[in-house]
């Protein structure tokens, strides 16, 4: 029920989207009663839910049955391409290291520590992304110049 509530809350903001693809590790199980649950509890979001498509992230789908792999792999779903969708879990290895220092803290300190941790983690991630984008831009510019030269040389 918590997952349904979180999904309904997120979908309220998506009424103008042309397509919505949800990445969920157990989409094969979750999707079976999705429409039924939304009819009962979140009927105002039902028009949006009815055109939602879901998929299982690439690293998790390998542990599913072949039937699930064919139905719910991102690579077989229109508009998703070769989507990986495991980025949300890439912080877990580092996040688990905070457990030792946060397990004895009260709720306020626990929240503040995790908030600081994720803030730093996100800052680091975006800092590294900017470096990658700069490198990609530099390579693209060089390829563009070579293409222009090859085109005008003919």
């Amino acid at each position: 029920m918590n997952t349904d509530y979180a999904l309904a809350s997120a979908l309220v903001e998506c009424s103008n989207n042309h397509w919505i693809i949800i990445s969920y590790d157990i989409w094969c199980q979750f999707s079976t009663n999705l429409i039924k649950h939304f009819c009962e509890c979140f009927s105002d979001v039902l028009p949006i839910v009815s055109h939602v498509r879901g998929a299982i992230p690439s690293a998790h789908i390998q542990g599913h049955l072949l039937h699930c792999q064919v139905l719910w792999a991102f690579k077989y779903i229109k508009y998703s391409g070769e989507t990986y969708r495991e980025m949300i879990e890439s912080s877990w290895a580092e996040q688990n290291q905070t457990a030792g220092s946060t397990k004895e803290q009260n709720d306020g300190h626990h929240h503040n520590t995790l908030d600081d941790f994720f803030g730093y983690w996100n800052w680091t991630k975006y800092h590294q992304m900017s470096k990658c984008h700069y490198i990609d831009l530099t390579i693209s510019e060089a390829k563009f110049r070579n293409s222009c030269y090859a085109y005008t040389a003919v």
Side-chain angles (χ1 to χ4, degrees):
M1 202 60 185
N2 290 339
T3 306
D4 291 345
Y5 178 76
L7 180 58
S9 299
L11 289 177
V12 167
E13 304 295 325
C14 299
S15 60
N16 294 328
N17 292 19
H18 294 290
W19 61 83
I20 301 168
I21 300 175
I22 296 174
S23 172
Y24 192 28
D25 298 355
I26 57 168
W27 181 256
C28 51
Q29 295 173 7
F30 179 70
S31 64
T32 56
N33 294 315
L34 183 65
I35 300 296
K36 177 183 161 192
H37 290 174
F38 273 75
C39 282
E40 294 171 0
C41 302
F42 308 104
S43 58
D44 55 327
V45 188
L46 193 58
I48 303 169
V49 169
S50 45
H51 73 269
V52 164
R53 288 177 298 182
I56 301 171
S58 303
H60 283 86
I61 201 161
Q62 295 166 3
H64 287 253
L65 299 173
L66 181 60
H67 175 73
C68 292
Q69 292 179 25
V70 171
L71 286 177
W72 308 116
F74 271 104
K75 61 186 170 185
Y76 301 129
I77 294 179
K78 191 174 182 178
Y79 305 120
S80 70
E82 292 293 324
T83 306
Y84 181 63
R85 297 288 185 208
E86 294 284 351
M87 186 57 78
I88 192 73
E89 296 185 16
S90 63
S91 67
W92 285 9
E94 293 179 36
Q95 176 188 346
N96 289 341
Q97 295 176 16
T98 64
S101 61
T102 59
K103 66 182 176 184
E104 299 294 326
Q105 295 176 344
N106 66 32
D107 290 340
H109 288 122
H110 183 96
H111 178 80
N112 288 341
T113 301
L114 291 178
D115 193 39
D116 288 343
F117 168 78
F118 286 115
Y120 176 74
W121 194 87
N122 283 330
W123 179 85
T124 305
K125 177 180 71 174
Y126 285 119
H127 183 71
Q128 294 300 321
M129 284 173 55
S130 66
K131 286 181 183 177
C132 292
H133 288 313
Y134 178 75
I135 291 168
D136 290 344
L137 181 64
T138 306
I139 292 169
S140 296
E141 183 181 12
K143 286 182 179 180
F144 174 74
R145 290 183 191 281
N146 287 340
S147 296
C148 287
Y149 175 76
Y151 180 75
T152 56
V154 173

